[in-house]
Structures are given as structure tokens and as C-alpha cells.
Amino acid sequence: MVARESDAVIVPMITGNAGVGKDVHTVGLVQGTHFLYTGKGAKMGTKLDRIGEMSASDPKLVFTSLYHLINEDMLRECHREIDGKKATGVDNVTKAEYEANLDENLKDLVARLKRKSYKPQPSLRVYIPKTGGKLRPLGMAAYEDKLVQSALGKVLAAVYEPKFHNSMYGFRPNRGCHDALRELNRLIEKGKTNYIVDADITVITS
């Protein structure tokens, strides 16, 4: 670990339901009133599975108002899944420390999310050495931010995973670089391959 500093943070804006074209279906998932909401006692996995089924069955389906899915149950599940050995962020709060008052902490976090007063803390910028003497920057999030990011990831995965092509391997659940290498090896040895291109793509925004 070579250097540490505080990263600037970008807080996503939360907007209302945007208008869509007439050829696109919209689904507003309003807790307690929409058919997709399965009740207070329903398991979070069941709700996300249902979203995934709907996303896979209708490519034009547009989901709105998914914000309520990030509740105490989901955040508690995210807490269980987080590796307690990971480095802390700028808050220096560990998983064990957060868990000592877990119910109250989650209630407070959900309350702030509902009234839209939750604000992510800056990520702790850490540099680790790479081969050749260069440094790789890493951003270490505060513990509550890890929970919210994990919850958002679950919701987004439910919506978009069914839409991804099977050949996509980057940053997807239950997939990794070794899976991509095995598929690449299969394509080279058994497929009709004429060219192999290795490229880093940089997106430049104005």
C-alpha cells in the first residue's frame, strides 16, 4: 500500500418516473399496490427472481420505482455477504462494529434512504504496486456505502442480467476471468476464428 487519500464522490440524483415512448411498456413497482410486490413477509430473493423473469420475457419492459426494494431485509442480507476481512473506508468502521448495533443501524440507514438524506462518504483512495513499477488505484468505500452499493447491485443485476449476451464475462455474478479464458480457448480451438484482438477501450466524455 503506497498512498492513501480521499476520493471525490459522485452522488446519483433520484428522479421520478420519466416518460417513455408509446412502444415501450412501463412497470411501476409501488410497494403494497403493484402486483409484483409480494407482501411484507416475502423473501427478497423471490422478488428479485420475479423481476428477472419479467426482464427476460419482455425486452421492452421498463422498470420504475424499484427504490423500495432496498429495505432492511435486503441490507441485512448484504451485510451477511460482505467479507469482514476487507479493508475499511474513511469511516474506519468494520463489519463487526456495525453488526454490534445492526438492527438500529439498518433502521436508521433505511430511514435516510426513504427521505433521500443518505449521502455516500468519499471513497478512500489506495494505491497498490503493479508489475513494471506502476500503481493501481483502488477506492475503499465506507461500510454503509458498501451495503447500499451491494443492494443496488442486486436490483440492477435482476433487471439487466437477463439482457446480457452469454459471451459477456466482465463483472457478472458467478463468472470470472478464468471462465472467459476457457471460452476463448474453446473458440480458438474449435471455432472458426480468423482474428484475435486485444484492446483496452477508453470512453471519453465531453
Side-chain angles (χ1 to χ4, degrees):
M1 195 173 294
V2 179
R4 296 156 66 96
E5 63 184 34
S6 177
D7 262 358
V9 66
I10 299 175
V11 183
M13 295 182 62
I14 301 172
T15 59
N17 295 345
V20 293
K22 61 182 179 180
D23 61 333
V24 178
H25 305 297
T26 62
V27 177
L29 307 181
V30 183
Q31 183 169 340
T33 61
H34 194 273
F35 71 93
L36 187 58
Y37 178 66
T38 53
K40 185 176 180 180
K43 291 185 178 180
M44 183 56 59
T46 303
K47 298 178 186 179
L48 296 179
D49 289 342
R50 178 60 180 142
I51 291 174
E53 291 171 2
M54 295 171 68
S55 180
S57 63
D58 188 351
K60 293 184 178 181
L61 189 65
V62 175
F63 293 89
T64 62
S65 301
L66 295 170
Y67 197 58
H68 71 276
L69 292 175
I70 305 178
N71 54 27
E72 288 183 43
D73 290 338
M74 176 179 280
L75 292 169
R76 185 173 283 104
E77 180 180 332
C78 294
H79 169 75
R80 287 196 298 265
E81 294 174 352
I82 288 178
D83 185 355
K85 298 179 181 179
K86 294 290 186 180
T88 60
V90 294
D91 59 346
N92 285 321
V93 174
T94 65
K95 179 178 181 178
E97 290 171 341
Y98 197 84
E99 188 171 311
N101 201 26
L102 183 61
D103 290 341
E104 289 74 11
N105 286 335
L106 292 182
K107 286 180 182 179
D108 177 67
L109 177 56
V110 170
R112 281 181 281 131
L113 287 168
K114 285 183 177 180
R115 64 175 181 263
K116 298 180 175 60
S117 64
Y118 162 78
K119 184 177 180 180
Q121 298 186 56
S123 295
L124 180 65
R125 178 63 83 190
V126 176
Y127 294 90
I128 60 175
K130 291 175 58 177
T131 304
K134 294 184 178 180
L135 299 177
R136 178 188 299 276
L138 296 177
M140 316 301 292
Y143 191 78
E144 276 196 341
D145 296 339
K146 291 178 182 179
L147 293 177
V148 176
Q149 289 170 12
S150 178
L152 282 170
K154 288 179 181 294
V155 174
L156 292 174
V159 174
Y160 291 107
E161 269 293 315
K163 302 180 185 297
F164 290 152
H165 195 278
N166 193 49
S167 63
M168 298 177 178
Y169 288 88
F171 301 98
R172 295 183 66 188
N174 303 318
R175 293 184 177 222
C177 57
H178 294 293
D179 300 308
L181 289 172
R182 278 192 289 269
E183 176 62 12
L184 180 61
N185 185 67
R186 185 191 70 80
L187 291 172
I188 293 174
E189 291 187 350
K190 299 180 180 180
K192 297 180 180 180
T193 304
N194 295 319
Y195 300 96
I196 299 176
V197 179
D198 180 15
D200 287 333
I201 301 174
T202 300
V203 177
I204 300 176
T205 58
S206 57

